[in-house]
Amino acid sequence: MSCSRRKFLKTTLSGTVAASLPLSAFRFLSPAEAKAATGTPNTRWGFLVDTRKCVGCGFCVKACKKENEVPYDLPVSRTWVERYVITKNGKAHIDSPMAGRDGFTSKKIRDEEIDAKDVTKAFFVPKLCNQCENPACVQVCPVGATYQTSDGVVLVDRSWCIGCGYCIMACPYGVRFFHPKYKVAEKCNFCYHRISKGMKTACVQACPFGARQIGNLKNFDDPVTRIIMTERVAVLKEEYGTKPQVFYIGLDSNVR
Amino acid sequence: MTEILTVHGMDWTIKQLFVYPNEFIYWSIQIVMYPYMTGLVAGAFVLSSLYHVFGQKDLKDMARFSLVFSLALLPVAMMPLQLHLQQPLRGMNVMFTPHFTSAIAAFGIVFSTYAAIVLTEIWFVYREYFVNQTAILKGQAGFANNFKRILYNILTLGAYDLSEQAIAKDKRAIKIMAAIGIPVAGFLHGYAGFIFGSVKANALWMSPLMPVIFIMSAVVSGIALCMLTYIIIMEWKKFQAILAKGRGDESVIMLRGAEIEVMTTTSRYLLMFLVAAITLELLDLIFRGYTAMKSWDILRSVMFHEDFFKIFIMQYGMGNALPFILLIIPGLTIRRTVIALVLVLFGVFMMRWNVVIGGQAFSLSFEGFMHYHLPIIPHNLETFKEGLMGALLVAITPFILFWGINKILPSLDQKNI
């Protein structure tokens, strides 16, 4: 059989293309992804933070770290509490030592004692992943290891994340970090393992003052949804177009 | 025994004022090296293409060398990425499940396309040489010769035709590959700029000018590195000629003349791209200051206070203005060129540094700063990979590769080709 080089190359090329086509038609889904894709579409998880009720006790941070196995004594955390002290000169003094885990027992902010007479207002702001409707982190993940479920929560596939850190860079809220043990991107997922079983998130359950609440935004009878719909709420950093789904009552213009 | 856990980035990040708890300098020295190395690849290729496509005869001697050098740089563009991944073994996942809304996902594809173009062009440039070598080595005995003959024979891919038409066809193919290669090289690097420019969360990075700025500075650094390497090699050859034949020998004088001529012409291209790069960077800076968006306050304090020395003295002053003056003064000498080239390379490196590290020098809260302390002496794998040692490893690899590749594809000895 004679076979010219040209013909050989041609056949090889078309053979390779033909062989790779059927393979590319399939997409392998992990069980979690498959479940997420077929999940109930009448749920959209949303979160409500009433900053007026928060006293900065840090129980939420403690509970979250324990529930989600985030190393307790490292500064990173899926959720954290910020303290804002505004003085008469208009300056905002902000801190969140150890993510607010142990509460705010000292009056000092970064070794600076603030005279109580100078303080005009002071408050606490709990932060967590905003589970954005238009998540920048999902957009930039090069391998699709972070994805949005049909009920709106953004998850990370620990078995597929390559640890490039692009999602950490892309998040305007700074909620992401590398998990010290698993060496992959880590973030709050509204305790997905709990809420999908009808439980509350660890932080909501731990909050003694009801400052944190979670609800289904598609269910208008949900008390949390009712508050979001009927009261004046705000979201963080709206200007980034990420459409955050964590709503705040009593947000101040000093909040970063 | 329990494993000691640390947060990635904690080893080299110093926080100042209010910074969110999860914020650290996650993208460190290797991400500075990444655009720097891809920039060198793209720049070296563009330089060689100027001869092949636009027939810039004055660049003939540089063309072949810069083409082979861009091949040596090619694998090194991947290295920093691998070294910075938290899961380096999963790096290939980008090729398996590319998620195309991500700017990084196309890297594998753009990069492979570019690699294919470079390899194809080199093959056409060297085909004649491969065939000749196969013929020359045929009669010679010895294991090394045998090995080389087989290697060259494989490299010919069975195309032994050296007729005039075949050679003309090769030339046309080279021209086509070089022509396709320019936009692809530009894309490869502009796209590195896009990776940064599209991060809307980062006030310093987000700019549509970022890809263009990256291309311009890439070409600048690529040309500078090629010129510098060329000078070093020519000086070595001159030194050998002096040793063999004495200082006043005709061949020494000829080498010296050829060298300064190549440098004078190439430096003109360098200057052109340098001006374009600086103009765009300044435009970006002025525009930010003039529009003074929310982020300007923190950007201003980073640029004019925290990083003033790195940006205005090291990058613009030493890296741009000074070499510009050195190169533009008439009566260019080799010594002056070398100083200017080293400064240009340093300037582009500082530009990458100021973009990558500078972009993380302030908190997303706009209320605090982060300082990067480059790990010099590593005390664990992380501080090795993302420290001075890792960066040096990336920096020297292309020269080692070039040394090896040049043994098979001689790009410096004009007589052989």
Side-chain angles (χ1 to χ4, degrees):
Chain A
M1 194 187 84
S2 79
C3 179
S4 72
R5 187 167 56 242
R6 180 171 291 269
K7 197 173 159 209
F8 170 73
L9 287 174
K10 255 186 185 168
T11 323
T12 311
L13 183 69
S14 51
T16 314
V17 172
S20 60
L21 267 180
L23 278 179
S24 59
F26 291 102
R27 204 176 140 236
F28 291 98
L29 294 179
S30 66
E33 276 180 306
K35 180 146 196 315
T38 55
T40 42
N42 52 4
T43 308
R44 204 309 170 194
W45 294 108
F47 208 92
L48 179 67
V49 178
D50 190 341
T51 58
R52 299 167 310 181
K53 290 179 181 167
C54 180
V55 300
C57 65
F59 282 13
C60 49
V61 181
K62 280 196 181 84
C64 173
K65 284 202 149 188
K66 292 195 165 156
E67 176 71 27
N68 295 297
E69 295 174 274
V70 176
Y72 196 72
D73 288 321
L74 290 178
V76 288
S77 183
R78 288 180 169 208
T79 184
W80 68 96
V81 182
E82 292 166 4
R83 166 166 69 172
Y84 287 79
V85 176
I86 319 294
T87 44
K88 280 177 183 159
N89 58 6
K91 203 170 175 281
H93 306 262
I94 316 166
D95 73 341
S96 181
M98 281 308 278
R101 182 194 70 187
D102 304 325
F104 296 83
T105 47
S106 164
K107 281 186 178 175
K108 280 185 177 171
I109 291 187
R110 274 185 305 277
D111 300 327
E112 189 191 351
E113 189 93 51
I114 294 162
D115 193 346
K117 280 181 283 189
D118 285 338
V119 177
T120 53
K121 55 183 169 182
F123 50 88
F124 298 99
V125 180
K127 296 262 182 92
L128 67 163
C129 173
N130 287 284
Q131 315 294 353
C132 303
E133 197 57 50
N134 180 24
C137 52
V138 171
Q139 183 188 27
V140 302
C141 177
V143 293
T146 187
Y147 54 97
Q148 193 176 32
T149 62
S150 61
D151 46 13
V153 179
V154 174
L155 303 178
V156 181
D157 184 344
R158 279 184 184 164
S159 68
W160 203 251
C161 171
I162 61 173
C164 66
Y166 205 14
C167 56
I168 301 178
M169 292 294 144
C171 175
Y173 307 98
V175 303
R176 283 179 172 252
F177 55 97
F178 281 125
H179 195 287
K181 190 170 170 200
Y182 302 110
K183 308 277 177 204
V184 289
E186 173 79 3
K187 68 181 259 304
C188 158
N189 58 10
F190 278 1
C191 285
Y192 202 64
H193 58 292
R194 293 170 63 96
I195 56 172
S196 48
K197 283 184 191 145
M199 297 160 83
K200 299 271 183 228
T201 70
C203 58
V204 168
Q205 198 173 40
C207 181
F209 304 97
R212 288 169 175 253
Q213 294 178 75
I214 185 163
N216 176 7
L217 299 178
K218 284 192 180 161
N219 177 7
F220 301 129
D221 297 327
D222 190 314
V224 178
T225 310
R226 281 188 93 83
I227 296 173
I228 293 169
M229 289 179 66
T230 55
E231 290 192 27
R232 286 167 233 184
V233 291
V235 291
L236 293 169
K237 300 187 184 182
E238 205 184 357
E239 65 273 20
Y240 289 101
T242 48
K243 301 192 183 121
Q245 301 296 309
V246 172
F247 298 89
Y248 284 84
I249 297 175
L251 210 56
D252 187 84
S253 64
N254 284 295
V255 174
R256 300 297 171 193
Chain B
M1 200 186 96
T2 50
E3 187 188 358
I4 301 164
L5 295 174
T6 56
V7 178
H8 180 73
M10 222 161 89
D11 274 330
W12 50 76
T13 310
I14 307 282
K15 295 184 177 186
Q16 189 192 344
L17 300 174
F18 177 63
V19 177
Y20 293 136
N22 296 334
E23 278 187 284
F24 290 94
I25 302 218
Y26 288 108
W27 281 5
S28 59
I29 184 79
Q30 291 299 350
I31 303 298
V32 178
M33 294 304 284
Y34 157 63
Y36 193 58
M37 296 323 274
T38 49
L40 294 176
V41 179
F45 185 83
V46 167
L47 185 63
S48 82
S49 295
L50 286 176
Y51 164 69
H52 289 300
V53 181
F54 303 111
Q56 302 286 345
K57 291 271 182 304
D58 44 3
L59 292 174
K60 184 170 185 256
D61 289 349
M62 283 297 283
R64 192 177 291 245
F65 161 68
S66 54
L67 184 62
V68 174
F69 200 58
S70 80
L71 176 69
L73 283 164
L74 207 54
V76 184
M78 298 275 261
M79 239 174 108
L81 291 179
Q82 276 297 327
L83 284 172
H84 124 273
L85 287 186
Q86 286 288 288
Q87 298 284 349
L89 296 176
R90 294 186 194 162
M92 274 306 279
N93 289 12
V94 181
M95 303 289 262
F96 295 150
T97 56
H99 183 241
F100 284 116
T101 57
S102 166
I104 300 183
F107 179 80
I109 293 158
V110 177
F111 187 78
S112 326
T113 312
Y114 179 67
I117 289 171
V118 172
L119 286 169
T120 315
E121 188 180 334
I122 288 184
W123 185 76
F124 279 113
V125 169
Y126 279 93
R127 193 182 69 88
E128 195 183 340
Y129 176 76
F130 293 151
V131 177
N132 286 336
Q133 284 299 305
T134 316
I136 291 167
L137 292 165
K138 206 159 204 168
Q140 294 175 21
F143 176 75
N145 284 335
N146 246 335
F147 176 76
K148 265 174 111 176
R149 186 177 53 80
I150 294 168
L151 182 69
Y152 282 123
N153 206 352
I154 294 168
L155 285 173
T156 59
L157 301 178
Y160 298 106
D161 190 358
L162 285 187
S163 66
E164 231 167 80
Q165 292 128 305
I167 299 289
K169 249 187 194 166
D170 281 2
K171 289 243 166 78
R172 212 169 65 231
I174 294 168
K175 200 168 176 175
I176 292 169
M177 287 335 279
I180 303 172
I182 293 178
V184 175
F187 191 77
L188 173 73
H189 198 71
Y191 152 84
F194 188 85
I195 290 177
F196 293 98
S198 65
V199 177
K200 61 182 169 186
N202 193 304
L204 186 79
W205 292 347
M206 195 187 148
S207 160
L209 282 181
M210 201 59 109
V212 197
I213 292 175
F214 264 57
I215 293 175
M216 291 306 160
S217 53
V219 178
V220 168
S221 63
I223 295 179
L225 185 67
C226 282
M227 286 170 74
L228 193 63
T229 319
Y230 188 80
I231 289 179
I232 293 168
I233 290 155
M234 289 299 274
E235 287 299 311
W236 173 245
K237 278 165 83 177
K238 219 160 66 184
F239 179 66
Q240 279 178 323
I242 289 170
L243 280 186
K245 295 168 186 166
R247 194 169 286 275
D249 194 78
E250 203 174 316
S251 65
V252 176
I253 294 163
M254 216 177 73
L255 275 173
R256 190 173 292 147
E259 188 185 3
I260 192 74
E261 206 184 297
V262 171
M263 283 309 116
T264 316
T265 44
T266 320
S267 67
R268 264 185 239 135
Y269 295 95
L270 178 71
L271 279 175
M272 262 160 34
F273 284 107
L274 189 62
V275 170
I278 302 169
T279 313
L280 286 168
E281 276 171 53
L282 288 179
L283 173 65
D284 192 58
L285 178 63
I286 292 165
F287 201 79
R288 282 171 197 278
Y290 192 79
T291 53
M293 304 285 279
K294 190 178 170 187
S295 57
W296 176 242
D297 274 340
I298 192 91
L299 287 184
R300 188 173 51 188
S301 33
V302 167
M303 286 188 219
F304 297 110
H305 297 284
E306 308 290 328
D307 283 356
F308 180 83
F309 188 74
K310 280 182 223 148
I311 295 174
F312 289 97
I313 308 296
M314 286 163 93
Q315 183 190 330
Y316 289 120
M318 284 165 68
N320 292 346
L322 194 58
F324 183 81
I325 295 165
L326 284 174
L327 287 175
I328 211 154
I329 298 172
L332 196 64
T333 61
I334 290 296
R335 195 169 302 159
R336 186 140 55 81
T337 317
V338 169
I339 297 170
L341 292 176
V342 171
L343 286 174
V344 164
L345 284 172
F346 173 74
V348 175
F349 180 80
M350 280 318 291
M351 181 258 174
R352 306 289 189 240
W353 179 286
N354 290 330
V355 168
V356 176
I357 307 291
Q360 299 169 83
F362 55 93
S363 164
L364 292 168
S365 68
F366 295 164
E367 290 289 338
F369 302 101
M370 286 190 286
H371 300 280
Y372 176 56
H373 286 253
L374 178 74
I376 309 239
I377 297 162
H379 57 81
N380 54 19
L381 188 62
E382 204 137 271
T383 43
F384 170 77
K385 288 195 318 179
E386 306 204 28
L388 183 68
M389 295 304 152
L392 287 178
L393 183 71
V394 172
I396 56 168
T397 309
F399 297 98
I400 297 168
L401 285 178
F402 179 75
W403 175 79
I405 293 172
N406 199 51
K407 287 205 178 296
I408 304 159
L409 307 172
S411 59
L412 299 163
D413 202 351
Q414 304 298 330
K415 276 171 287 175
N416 275 352
I417 302 156

